[in-house]
């Protein structure tokens, strides 16, 4: 099978060729340590500075508010653990949502074991947090609100501006996991009152193992990783220079093409959503119909197992996901799909497909045909479907 249609861009993306080319010299030619004093190393230092400037500009931050990390998970851990530590005199309460990425949820569980109290906000059937519930959850001891910008499974974009306003009005810090949203939708940390923001290179056609945490000037946050004085004494470890350069290049391209990518991806996404819902019966779309990431589709097909669908799509050269990559391998349905109120059996029949800038209409036409065929085939073999047909033919 030569055909490969990659529709799992929420799991990771292809590193762009221009990004790889920008990185190459920093492995083998310009390999100096940015902390060294000689002229040779200043090339590396300059490259890191340029990437930092590009990234800061992309979210309207200043360059000295961007801290490079080993990826989105580290940024999330840092924001939560070190805010908790720095502000524990003020209080021990943190508010988050039930549909966060595990980098947030598991860090919250860790903090709970260490004396912090966490409120996990519900979401509605589209995956949005309720602002009244958020306000009601605030206590005098609340030190942090951490709500993701956009969900990695169902694509729903949260009311970030309103959340930022609520946090600010109550003197509470606001962190957002923007790993899926960064460089896919417009973000202005000042306009949105965001105090900390996590992002990752490999979700936006950059390299893996590089991310950043934006930390607003004035926050007390200390280090998660202790050691040398890199990143203005806040994140030790010799800078991943090739990774940083590649991340910078990926951001530069992503920001330059943002508008046109959004338009193309939204058109393709809506084309496929409309066709799937019209042509495959007993199917639902998960996540907000309009207020969602341009590249995200998430369907539930009644009476079938998402895992079987994935395997059969794979045999046709199509890469998708049935939940988040981190949970595949376990039999539990996705915590996100359960949080939006899907019963277990429907959550199990789910398929996430996420587009990239180079997905074509032909790719989607082929995928729609294959999904139709396979869903029909799996339903033919499904006892649940047989029962359903019997009941409804009486
Ligand atoms: C992928 C992802 C992460 C983790 O980022 P890594 O760079 O893979 O560590 C965190 N949050 C969300 C929403 C993600 O999609």
């Amino acid at each position: 099978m030569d055909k490969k249609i990659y529709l799992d861009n929420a799991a990771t993306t292809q590193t762009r060729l221009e990004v790889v080319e920008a990185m190459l010299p920093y492995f083998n030619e310009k390999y100096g340590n940015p902390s060294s004093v000689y002229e040779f190393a200043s090339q590396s230092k300059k490259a890191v500075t340029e990437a930092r400037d590009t990234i800061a500009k992309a979210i309207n931050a200043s360059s000295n508010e961007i801290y490079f990390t080993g990826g989105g998970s580290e940024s999330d851990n840092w924001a939560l653990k070190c805010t908790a530590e720095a502000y524990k005199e003020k209080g021990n309460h943190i508010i988050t949502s039930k549909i966060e990425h595990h980098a947030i949820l598991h860090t919250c569980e860790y903090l709970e074991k260490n004396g912090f109290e966490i409120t996990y906000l519900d979401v509605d059937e589209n995956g949005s947090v309720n602002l009244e519930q958020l306000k009601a959850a605030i206590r005098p001891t609340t030190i942090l609100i951490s709500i993701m910008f956009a969900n990695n499974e169902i694509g729903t974009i949260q009311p970030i501006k309103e959340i930022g306003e609520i946090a600010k009005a109550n003197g509470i810090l606001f962190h957002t996991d923007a790993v899926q949203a960064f460089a896919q939708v417009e973000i202005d940390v000042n306009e949105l009152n965001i105090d900390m923001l996590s992002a990752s290179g490999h979700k936006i056609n950059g390299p893996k193992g590089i991310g950043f945490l934006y930390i607003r000037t004035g926050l007390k946050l200390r280090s998660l990783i202790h050691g040398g004085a890199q990143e203005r004494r806040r994140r030790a470890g010799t800078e991943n220079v090739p990774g940083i350069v590649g991340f910078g290049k990926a951001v530069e391209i992503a920001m330059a093409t943002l508008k046109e990518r959004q338009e193309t991806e939204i058109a393709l996404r809506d084309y496929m959503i409309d066709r799937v819902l019209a042509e495959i019966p007993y199917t639902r779309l998960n996540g907000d119909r309009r207020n969602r990431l341009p590249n995200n589709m998430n369907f539930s097909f009644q009476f079938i197992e998402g895992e079987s669908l994935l395997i059969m799509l794979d045999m046709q050269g199509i890469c998708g996901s049935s939940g988040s990559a981190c949970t595949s391998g376990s039999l539990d349905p996705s915590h996100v799909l359960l949080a939006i109120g899907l019963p277990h059996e429907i959550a199990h029949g789910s398929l996430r497909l996420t587009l990239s800038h180079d997905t074509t209409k032909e790719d989607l036409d082929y995928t729609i045909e294959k999904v139709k065929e396979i869903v029909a085939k799996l339903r033919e073999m499904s006892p649940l479907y047989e029962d359903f047909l019997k009941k409804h033919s009486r």
Side-chain angles (χ1 to χ4, degrees):
M1 168 63 41
D2 291 342
K3 205 173 180 78
K4 192 185 87 196
I5 298 181
Y6 184 78
L7 295 174
D8 200 16
N9 288 281
T12 197
T13 58
Q14 181 180 39
T15 312
R16 279 189 194 252
L17 209 53
E18 301 98 302
V19 169
V20 175
E21 278 164 2
M23 291 170 74
L24 282 176
Y26 293 91
F27 287 102
N28 189 254
E29 252 174 76
K30 308 178 185 178
Y31 54 84
N33 186 325
S35 303
S36 303
V37 290
Y38 32 79
E39 172 62 24
F40 173 56
S42 69
Q43 297 177 323
S44 314
K45 190 172 179 173
K46 184 161 167 272
V48 169
T49 303
E50 280 173 12
R52 198 189 306 281
D53 292 346
T54 303
I55 289 170
K57 211 172 119 212
I59 55 170
N60 193 27
S62 351
S63 297
N64 61 10
E65 295 174 313
I66 302 297
Y67 296 84
F68 289 113
T69 66
S73 300
E74 183 189 326
S75 300
D76 285 346
N77 271 261
W78 188 7
L80 264 59
K81 289 176 184 166
C82 296
T83 302
E85 196 195 341
Y87 293 86
K88 64 173 182 264
E89 302 301 315
K90 187 192 164 203
N92 69 343
H93 181 234
I94 294 171
I95 301 173
T96 186
S97 82
K98 286 187 178 163
I99 63 164
E100 300 294 312
H101 189 272
H102 285 124
I104 294 289
L105 291 178
H106 290 166
T107 305
C108 285
E109 283 168 25
Y110 166 84
L111 289 171
E112 279 180 308
K113 291 195 188 105
N114 285 277
F116 288 88
E117 289 173 14
I118 318 280
T119 299
Y120 299 91
L121 298 178
D122 295 322
V123 293
D124 66 16
E125 69 280 7
N126 291 323
S128 293
V129 299
N130 179 307
L131 297 171
E132 293 311 313
Q133 201 194 357
L134 168 63
K135 284 186 205 156
I138 293 174
R139 308 174 189 168
T141 52
T142 308
I143 51 175
L144 176 69
I145 296 171
S146 179
I147 305 278
M148 70 200 320
F149 206 111
N151 185 267
N152 47 304
E153 292 187 38
I154 57 175
T156 301
I157 299 173
Q158 298 297 337
I160 293 295
K161 192 171 166 56
E162 289 79 359
I163 297 169
E165 278 163 9
I166 293 170
K168 191 176 185 186
N170 289 276
I172 299 167
L173 295 176
F174 175 35
H175 165 256
T176 187
D177 174 343
V179 172
Q180 291 291 335
F182 173 62
Q184 307 284 0
V185 299
E186 288 82 357
I187 299 179
D188 179 328
V189 289
N190 294 314
E191 198 185 297
L192 299 173
N193 289 309
I194 295 167
D195 295 304
M196 285 168 280
L197 177 145
S198 305
S200 176
H202 75 101
K203 302 290 175 76
I204 60 156
N205 304 98
K208 295 172 178 61
I210 183 76
F212 73 84
L213 181 65
Y214 155 79
I215 307 176
R216 182 176 290 284
T217 302
L219 261 65
K220 288 198 288 183
L221 226 60
R222 294 273 171 79
S223 306
L224 177 68
I225 308 292
H226 300 278
Q230 291 90 357
E231 298 298 286
R232 298 170 304 289
R233 299 185 175 279
R234 274 178 152 171
R235 201 282 187 179
T238 301
E239 295 85 345
N240 173 0
V241 179
I244 291 171
V245 168
F247 196 6
K249 189 69 189 176
V251 172
E252 181 194 315
I253 299 170
M255 294 311 290
T257 56
L258 188 66
K259 280 265 170 340
E260 56 172 287
R261 263 188 312 126
Q262 284 177 340
E263 272 172 34
T264 333
E265 288 179 10
I266 287 172
L268 285 174
R269 176 196 75 186
D270 290 346
Y271 165 75
M272 177 149 178
I273 290 175
D274 289 342
R275 276 197 60 191
V276 167
L277 295 180
E279 297 174 29
I280 308 181
Y282 312 116
T283 298
R284 58 164 279 149
L285 176 74
N286 299 314
D288 198 286
R289 184 73 175 85
R290 298 277 153 226
N291 199 19
R292 73 189 298 135
L293 288 171
N295 74 340
N296 176 288
M297 301 181 269
N298 189 312
F299 302 103
S300 289
F301 303 100
Q302 269 189 69
F303 318 115
I304 68 162
E305 284 286 341
E307 293 299 318
S308 317
L309 174 57
L310 271 191
I311 292 164
M312 292 171 78
L313 283 172
D314 186 27
M315 293 195 286
Q316 303 300 326
I318 300 166
C319 308
S321 162
S322 63
S324 56
C326 331
T327 53
S328 50
S330 103
L331 287 175
D332 295 335
S334 135
H335 66 287
V336 176
L337 297 178
L338 295 181
I340 62 171
L342 294 194
H344 278 240
E345 68 276 15
I346 293 183
H348 268 306
S350 300
L351 175 69
R352 177 187 73 183
L353 298 173
T354 41
L355 317 177
S356 81
H357 59 93
D358 55 17
T359 306
T360 63
K361 182 164 173 290
E362 289 65 43
D363 294 339
L364 296 188
D365 284 332
Y366 175 81
T367 306
I368 295 167
E369 288 317 313
K370 293 299 166 191
V371 171
K372 271 166 74 171
E373 278 172 35
I374 296 169
V375 168
K377 207 179 284 175
L378 289 171
R379 282 180 178 165
E380 261 170 45
M381 303 186 301
S382 159
L384 289 172
Y385 189 52
E386 205 179 316
D387 284 354
F388 173 84
L389 290 182
K390 271 188 206 142
K391 272 189 209 135
H392 288 257
S393 59
R394 258 188 264 148

